[in-house]
Structure formats: structure tokens, C-alpha cells
């Protein structure tokens, strides 16, 4: 008999479990900040070598 | 390619496929077969998402793109981290909460049966047709440069991927993708190390980067608002966001990679892993192409990198023209090399006026060499109008075959095959899952209770889609235009599908009937625009999505605001 897949009971409240990140909002902010840093570094790379 | 290369190539390819099949041979649960291991952690999920996106063409074409046009293409990925944050925060929790097998199942729960079938149908049409292309496109390049038979490559890769994907389903796909990514990372690092070691003595990475930059290959970010420019920060952010949101959030081949796993946390971290690493990874692959460009300024480069095509014409009736072009290009390349050395000397002398003049002379010499290359391509076209004159896909593989030591050649060819297999297996897995869950099981609700039968049916659909892909790839040579049409087809459908999902997630009062007819109208509009206007087809992602959302809201207003809340929930 097919057992229907069980819905994930753990909700958004489940913490990221990463040191320094208590909420997912902080993880997203970190990733966004990383993205901005990468773009800034790429712009600096362009400026240095072009 | 010698014995050492064959051992590395076949050892890695067959070894990974056999390991994947053996480890997952006892998969009986439908949930594991379609969604992968219930204990998969974020590393497995993250690598699986990355491997699904990286096809063989990524590793053949992107270094060529860096060689030909520079690293500006990296901007195309700027929307990806933002899209993945949205997928993590909105799409993934909903998919897990509803415990769906496919993203289209979610449409059925949110709207109704017809909208679910529309979404699933568009996916099968688009992915099903492109299934053969993902085998054919790298196979044609590898068969050209390696001299192997095209049909043998297609059948070998096709059968290999069918065997382990049918055996272990989604679990086998994720497991093999992890090892295939290890081969890909190992191979690319090896190629980069060999390339840096082979740069002229005293030049080093910094010197090579300065040469590439001076010749216009290192403009990573372009802030220009000029819409005619192909890659800018703004087009990358806007277009890239819509494309990535559509691909990662709604395309079953990606959704299937992250909806399984041990928990919501693991899926989210797997996606964030990609959000952090994807742009740096693409940057390194493009930079490799730009460094190849510098390398070939000091080595005599071929005038046309698809040498088998070039030699075919050079040995033909009009061979003298081609030999003359080769001679002129050799002279122009030697002039460029001399001009680069003069510029490097002027830079180290720190004389601004001399350096500026030397730089102008170097750029001019490079333009002259480029002009001869363009003439060579025009001569090829004149000799045979069907000749494909885009040779940038052959740059990296030419470097691999002519400059890498044996063993490493086998590893790098294995990178191409590993990438082809990893994206193909995820594609077959997604096609089979959608066919089983959204069509077969949907129309046979009683059969859904028999788990063993469900797994058997999913296996059969995997094999069928695999055989369809192989058959298509074998006959694709007769239909080159069809392949291009299929690639365009993707962009035509992606926008509307994303529109349906955005309405589902963010405009709660819109119901199934409104969104279904809005999607049909938006798709018709996009198709009419495609045949009557001349705009870049990437824009149809944005147009299709916007039209679908707008029409949905308008139609719902006509149908009555309360109607949406009472529809659906049953499909």
C-alpha cells in the first residue's frame, strides 16, 4: 500500500542551526551581503585589470 | 587519448554509474524513488542542485565564452542568489508542508486540476523535447574533436544514465551527482593549474590578467544602462532573477533535487550553498577562458578551433584560400605576440607615455588578428553555407587534448561526460516523476494505492523518456534547426509557468479558472509576439510572467473576488 508522504511538521520555526545565525532571516541577510560583496569585488577586479 | 586516459575516463564514468546502481538497487519506497533519501543532508542536496544545472555544455561553452567575449557573462548569474533566497523563504516551505512529489501537484492543491495539468504539460513539452539535446549537443562536439562515432557516444551516455536512473531513481541521481561533481571540481582545478603552469615564464597570473584586461576580456561588471548591451549588471539582476526563479522554483528537474532530504533545514542550506558558490564558480570558469585567450597569444593558435571542419575545407578544392588565411593569421598572431611583449616591457619600465602607445599598438594588432579570424569564418561560410562558424565551444577541448598530460586528458573528458550524465539523470528523473504523478496516477487514482506498482511505473517512464532522448539525439543531426527552436521554446514557456506560480504564492484571492485562462491567454500572446516581433527571446520570460499575473488579476476581477477562494483544493 502506498504510504502518502508525510507533511513536514517542522515549520519555518526550525532554526538554521548554524553558529551565529539564530534565524533564517539572518542567513538570508548574510547570503545577500555575500552577494553584494561578490559584486563589489568583481567591480574592483574590472577596475584593476581593465 | 591513450590507455591511461581510457582507464581514467571509463573508470570514473562506469564506476560512478555502477556504484549508484548498486547502492540504490533495493529502493522500493515510492517516496525514496521519487524524492531521494530521507536522510540526505544539505551537502548532498546542494551538490545535486549544482550538478543538475551544470551540463556538459557549461564546461565546453563557458570557457569558450570567456575566450571569445570575456567574463561579462558572469552577470547573467547575478539574479540567482536573490531567486534562491525567495525559493528558500516561500517556495520550499510550501512544497514540504504539502509533501508534494512535484511542483505541479502544488498547483493542483492551490488551484484546480486543469491548472496542474497545464503546468505539468508545459514542463513535459519543454523538457521532453530538450531531453535529446542535452545528450546530442556535447556528443557532437566530443565526436568532432576526438574522432569517435557520434552514435556510439550518444548510445553509451544514454544507456549509462538510463541504467542507474531507472535502478535507483532520485536517490541514485543525488548519489551519483555527488561523485560526478567531485570529478568535475577535480578536473577543472587540474586544467586551471596546468594552464597557469603553461603561461610564459615571468608572466604569471597577474601579468596574464593584465594582458586579458587590456584586451577587453576582464570586464566582469558593466553598469551601463544601454539596453542594446547583451550583459549588464541590470539585465543580469532583472532577467537573471526571473529566469532563476522560474528554473529553481518551478522546474521539476530542480524542485525534485531539494524537496526531499532529511528536513526543511537541509533543503534550505543546500540552496544557500548554491546561492553563495554559484557566482564565484562561474567566474572561475569564465576566467579560465580569459586566461586561455592569453595563453593562445603566446602559443600559435589555430585560425579556427574546430580543426576537423577547417581541415575538411583546407583539403578541398578551394584549399589554397584556406592555407593563405592560415598563413596570414600566423603572421597576425606573431605581430600580436610581439606587441604584447612590448607592452609588458613598457609597463615594467613605468613610462606612462611609452606604455600608452604600446597598449594602443597591442590592441590594434589584436584587432588585425581578429579580422583575419572573421575572414576565415566568412570563407568557411562561403564554401559551405551550412558550416557552423561559432568555434568557441572547441577552444577548451582543444587545449585539453593538445596541452594536458595523459591521464589528465582522460579526467577532463570525464568532466564533460560527468556533467552530461548528472544533468541528464535529473532531467529523466523529473520527466518520469511528472508523468507518473501528474498524469498516470492522476487518472488512475485507485492504482495509486499500490506502492510497488507505482515504483514499477515510474521506472518504466524513466526508461521510456531515456530511450526517447537517445532516439532524438541519434536523429538530431538531421534537424539542427529543430534544436535551436527547442532552446527558444524553453524561454517562451518559462515566463508563463513562473507567472502561474507567482500568482499561486502571492495573490491569494485569484482562483484556478482565472489563472488557467490567464495563462492560456498569456502563452498565446507570447507566441504571437514571438512570430511578429524581433526582440531577444530572453525577454519573453519577463513578458510571459507579467502577462500571466496581469491577466489573472483582471480575470479574477471579472469573475468576482470571492470566487477564487472556493475553487480547487481537490486536484
Amino acid at each position: 500500500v502506498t504510504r502518502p508522504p508525510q507533511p513536514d511538521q517542522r515549520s519555518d520555526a526550525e532554526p538554521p542551526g548554524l553558529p551565529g545565525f539564530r534565524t533564517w532571516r539572518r542567513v538570508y541577510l548574510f547570503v545577500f551581503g555575500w552577494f553584494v560583496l561578490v559584486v563589489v569585488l568583481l567591480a574592483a577586479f574590472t577596475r584593476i585589470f581593465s | 587519448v591513450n590507455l591511461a586516459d581510457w582507464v581514467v575516463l571509463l573508470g570514473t564514468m562506469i564506476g560512478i554509474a555502477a556504484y549508484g546502481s548498486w547502492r540504490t538497487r533495493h529502493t522500493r519506497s515510492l517516496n525514496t524513488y521519487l524524492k531521494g533519501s530521507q536522510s540526505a543532508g544539505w551537502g548532498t542536496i546542494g551538490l545535486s542542485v549544482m550538478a543538475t544545472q551544470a551540463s556538459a555544455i557549461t564546461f565546453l561553452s563557458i570557457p569558450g565564452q570567456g575566450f571569445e567575449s570575456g567574463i561579462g557573462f558572469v552577470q547573467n548569474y547575478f539574479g540567482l542568489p536573490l531567486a534562491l533566497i525567495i525559493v528558500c523563504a516561500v517556495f520550499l516551505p510550501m512544497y514540504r508542508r504539502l509533501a508534494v512529489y512535484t511542483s505541479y501537484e502544488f498547483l493542483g492543491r492551490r488551484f484546480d486540476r486543469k491548472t496542474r495539468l497545464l503546468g505539468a504539460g508545459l514542463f513535459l513539452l519543454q523538457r521532453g523535447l530538450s531531453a535529446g539535446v542535452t545528450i546530442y549537443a556535447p556528443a557532437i562536439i566530443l565526436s568532432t574533436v576526438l574522432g569517435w562515432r557520434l552514435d556510439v557516444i550518444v548510445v553509451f551516455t544514454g544507456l549509462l544514465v538510463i541504467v542507474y536512473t531507472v535502478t535507483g531513481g532520485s536517490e541514485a541521481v543525488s548519489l551519483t551527482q555527488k561523485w560526478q561533481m567531485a570529478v568535475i571540481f577535480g578536473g577543472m582545478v587540474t586544467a586551471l593549474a596546468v594552464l597557469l603552469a603553461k603561461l610564459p615564464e615571468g608572466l604569471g597570473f597577474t601579468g596574464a590578467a593584465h594582458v586579458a584586461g587590456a584586451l577587453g576580456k576582464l570586464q566582469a561588471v558593466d553598469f551601463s544602462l544601454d539596453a542594446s548591451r547583451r550583459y549588464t549588471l541590470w539585465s543580469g539582476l532583472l532577467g537573471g532573477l526571473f529566469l532563476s526563479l522560474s528554473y529553481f522554483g518551478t522546474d521539476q528537474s530542480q524542485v525534485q533535487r531539494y524537496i526531499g532530504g532529511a528536513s526543511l533545514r537541509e533543503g534550505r542550506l543546500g540552496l544557500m550553498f548554491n546561492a553563495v558558490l554559484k557566482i564565484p564558480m562561474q567566474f572561475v570558469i569564465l576566467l579560465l577562458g580569459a586566461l586561455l585567450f592569453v595563453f593562445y597569444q603566446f602559443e600559435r593558435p589555430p585560425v579556427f578551433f574546430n580543426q576537423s571542419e577547417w581541415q575538411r575545407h583546407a583539403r578541398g578544392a578551394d584549399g589554397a584560400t584556406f592555407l593563405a588565411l592560415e598563413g596570414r593569421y600566423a603572421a597576425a598572431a606573431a605581430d600580436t605576440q610581439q606587441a604584447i611583449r612590448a607592452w609588458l616591457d613598457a609597463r615594467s619600465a613605468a613610462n606612462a607615455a611609452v606604455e600608452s602607445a604600446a597598449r594602443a599598438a597591442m590592441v590594434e594588432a589584436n584587432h588585425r588578428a581578429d579580422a583575419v579570424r572573421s575572414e576565415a569564418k566568412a570563407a568557411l561560410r562561403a564554401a559551405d553555407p551550412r558550416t557552423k562558424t561559432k568555434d568557441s565551444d572547441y577552444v577548451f577541448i582543444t587545449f585539453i587534448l593538445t596541452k594536458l598530460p595523459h591521464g589528465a586528458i582522460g579526467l577532463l573528458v570525464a568532466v564533460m561526460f560527468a556533467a552530461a550524465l548528472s544533468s541528464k539523470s535529473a532531467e529523466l528523473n523529473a520527466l518520469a516523476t511528472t508523468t507518473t504523478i501528474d498524469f498516470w496516477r492522476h487518472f488512475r487514482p485507485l492504482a495509486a494505492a499500490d506502492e510497488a506498482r507505482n515504483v514499477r511505473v515510474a521506472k518504466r517512464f524513466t526508461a521510456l523518456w531515456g530511450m526517447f532522448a537517445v532516439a532524438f539525439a541519434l536523429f538530431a543531426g538531421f534537424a539542427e534547426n529543430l534544436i535551436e527552436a527547442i532552446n527558444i521554446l524553453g524561454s517562451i514557456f518559462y515566463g508563463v509557468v513562473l507567472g502561474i506560480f507567482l500568482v499561486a504564492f502571492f495573490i491569494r484571492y485569484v482562483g484556478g479558472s482565472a489563472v488557467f485562462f490567464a495563462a492560456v491567454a498569456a502563452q498565446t500572446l507570447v507566441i504571437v509576439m514571438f512570430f511578429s516581433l524581433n526582440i531577444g527571446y530572453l525577454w519573453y520570460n519577463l513578458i510571459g510572467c507579467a502577462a500571466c499575473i496581469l491577466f489573472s488579476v483582471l480575470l479574477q476581477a471579472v469573475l468576482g473576488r470571492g470566487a477564487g477562494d472556493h475553487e480547487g483544493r481537490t486536484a
Side-chain angles (χ1 to χ4, degrees):
Chain A
V1 173
T2 306
R3 290 177 296 276
Q6 292 303 302
D8 193 341
Q9 298 304 329
R10 288 163 293 198
S11 65
D12 286 6
E14 188 188 14
L18 298 172
F21 296 98
R22 277 187 298 175
T23 62
W24 284 104
R25 186 185 291 263
R26 286 198 178 187
V27 175
Y28 301 148
L29 277 173
F30 168 79
V31 172
F32 182 74
W34 167 256
F35 162 67
V36 172
L37 177 68
V38 167
V39 173
V40 168
L41 289 175
L42 286 174
F45 183 83
T46 302
R47 201 171 172 80
I48 292 166
F49 290 109
S50 289
Chain B
V1 178
N2 71 3
L3 184 65
D5 299 317
W6 277 109
V7 170
V8 174
L9 173 61
L10 293 180
T12 48
M13 288 305 88
I14 298 175
I16 292 172
Y19 173 72
S21 302
W22 181 76
R23 276 283 305 270
T24 58
R25 67 194 186 284
H26 297 307
T27 305
R28 300 281 181 270
S29 143
L30 185 68
N31 208 32
T32 307
Y33 193 79
L34 298 186
K35 291 166 86 174
S37 166
Q38 302 303 295
S39 59
W42 64 267
T44 303
I45 294 172
L47 285 173
S48 188
V49 166
M50 192 176 270
T52 299
Q53 194 185 16
S55 68
I57 282 296
T58 306
F59 296 97
L60 285 165
S61 290
I62 294 187
Q65 178 92 23
F67 176 96
E68 194 77 27
S69 319
I71 63 172
F73 185 69
V74 75
Q75 294 167 113
N76 256 22
Y77 297 91
F78 280 2
L80 184 145
L82 308 177
L84 287 181
I85 289 174
I86 297 172
V87 172
C88 262
V90 182
F91 288 55
L92 174 56
M94 182 62 86
Y95 291 150
R96 281 198 74 102
R97 205 173 299 142
L98 297 177
V100 291
Y101 287 115
T102 72
S103 52
Y104 317 109
E105 231 184 318
F106 159 71
L107 292 181
R109 305 265 188 101
R110 166 68 179 85
F111 295 122
D112 53 23
R113 174 187 291 206
K114 60 181 180 297
T115 312
R116 172 187 184 177
L117 294 179
L118 177 68
L122 287 176
F123 170 75
L124 289 184
L125 181 67
Q126 173 206 332
R127 278 280 154 196
L129 285 175
S130 66
V133 179
T134 45
I135 291 187
Y136 176 79
I140 183 72
I141 296 171
L142 292 170
S143 84
T144 304
V145 292
L146 295 167
W148 300 345
R149 283 181 54 168
L150 176 66
D151 50 0
V152 172
I153 299 179
V154 166
V155 171
F156 170 76
T157 46
L159 286 183
L160 209 56
V161 76
I162 289 171
V163 167
Y164 71 80
T165 313
V166 167
T167 306
S170 195
E171 193 181 13
V173 172
S174 299
L175 192 66
T176 49
Q177 280 179 326
K178 203 159 61 171
W179 291 102
Q180 283 156 348
M181 281 310 286
V183 171
I184 289 170
F185 283 137
M188 294 309 279
V189 168
T190 305
L192 190 60
V194 172
L195 174 60
L196 288 173
K198 282 188 178 286
L199 286 173
E201 217 173 307
L203 188 67
F205 171 77
T206 316
H210 278 294
V211 173
L215 293 173
K217 304 292 181 187
L218 293 188
Q219 187 166 20
V221 185
D222 183 354
F223 292 95
S224 165
L225 291 169
D226 183 353
S228 66
R229 291 201 185 201
R230 203 164 186 184
Y231 309 119
T232 66
L233 173 74
W234 316 113
S235 71
L237 277 174
L238 194 66
L241 174 66
F242 275 87
L243 199 62
S244 300
L245 199 55
S246 184
Y247 178 57
F248 288 102
T250 75
D251 191 305
Q252 178 62 16
S253 59
Q254 274 298 352
V255 172
Q256 194 155 3
R257 308 316 331 142
Y258 61 75
I259 53 170
S263 66
L264 174 63
R265 171 186 180 271
E266 305 303 323
R268 278 176 158 166
L269 289 180
L271 288 175
M272 289 300 94
F273 169 82
N274 278 269
V276 167
L277 282 188
K278 190 69 188 182
I279 297 176
M281 191 181 107
Q282 296 303 127
F283 168 72
V284 171
I285 299 174
L286 282 161
L287 186 64
L288 182 110
L291 293 175
L292 273 174
F293 170 80
V294 177
F295 170 80
Y296 276 116
Q297 302 308 306
F298 294 94
E299 282 277 317
R300 191 180 152 184
V303 63
F304 190 69
F305 276 88
N306 182 352
Q307 272 293 293
S308 107
E309 186 66 28
W310 180 262
Q311 291 301 332
R312 186 169 73 85
H313 292 287
R315 290 196 203 100
D318 211 12
T321 309
F322 291 93
L323 290 176
L325 278 163
E326 268 183 25
R328 282 177 56 209
Y329 186 68
D335 285 348
T336 309
Q337 190 189 130
Q338 207 173 9
I340 292 172
R341 289 192 188 280
W343 177 67
L344 288 169
D345 290 341
R347 273 194 81 230
S348 50
N351 182 333
V354 176
E355 193 263 334
S356 174
R359 185 189 179 111
M362 175 180 71
V363 172
E364 184 53 37
N366 182 244
H367 283 326
R368 282 198 299 272
D370 273 350
V372 181
R373 236 167 87 76
S374 300
E375 265 186 65
K377 290 178 182 180
L380 284 169
R381 265 194 303 270
D384 182 357
R386 289 169 306 168
T387 302
K388 288 196 173 300
T389 54
K390 180 174 176 282
D391 66 338
S392 56
D393 291 349
Y394 292 84
V395 172
F396 187 41
I397 191 76
T398 301
F399 172 77
I400 290 167
L401 293 176
T402 55
K403 305 295 175 191
L404 260 61
H406 285 293
I409 294 177
L411 178 65
L412 263 296
V413 177
V415 166
M416 308 304 165
F417 279 105
L421 293 178
S422 62
S423 52
K424 185 82 248 160
S425 59
E427 203 171 44
L428 291 186
N429 195 215
L431 285 166
T433 302
T434 306
T435 315
T436 306
I437 299 296
D438 293 304
F439 286 94
W440 180 81
R441 219 166 94 143
H442 187 71
F443 291 112
R444 285 177 181 76
L446 292 177
D450 183 348
E451 181 159 12
R453 187 178 173 197
N454 275 254
V455 174
R456 275 202 310 277
V457 168
K459 287 187 176 192
R460 280 182 203 141
F461 277 129
T462 309
L464 270 176
W465 278 113
M467 286 189 283
F468 172 76
V470 169
F472 186 94
L474 286 174
F475 296 106
F478 303 109
E480 289 282 347
N481 291 336
L482 184 64
I483 292 170
E484 199 182 349
I486 288 165
N487 286 332
I488 295 170
L489 206 68
S491 281
I492 291 176
F493 289 142
Y494 252 3
V496 174
V497 174
L498 177 62
I500 299 173
F501 276 85
L502 290 183
V503 170
F505 281 113
F506 297 109
I507 311 178
R508 298 197 60 83
Y509 66 86
V510 173
S513 295
V515 81
F516 176 82
F517 291 110
V520 171
Q523 195 58 72
T524 310
L525 174 75
V526 168
I527 291 170
V528 169
M529 285 178 80
F530 174 73
F531 284 110
S532 54
L533 297 178
N534 186 24
I535 55 173
Y537 61 80
L538 281 176
W539 285 107
Y540 292 117
N541 287 297
L542 187 61
I543 294 169
C545 179
C548 181
I549 294 172
L550 182 69
F551 293 166
S552 298
V553 171
L554 292 176
L555 262 175
Q556 191 60 53
V558 172
L559 292 172
R561 206 175 161 98
D565 296 331
H566 307 294
E567 287 183 75
R569 313 277 197 274
T570 54

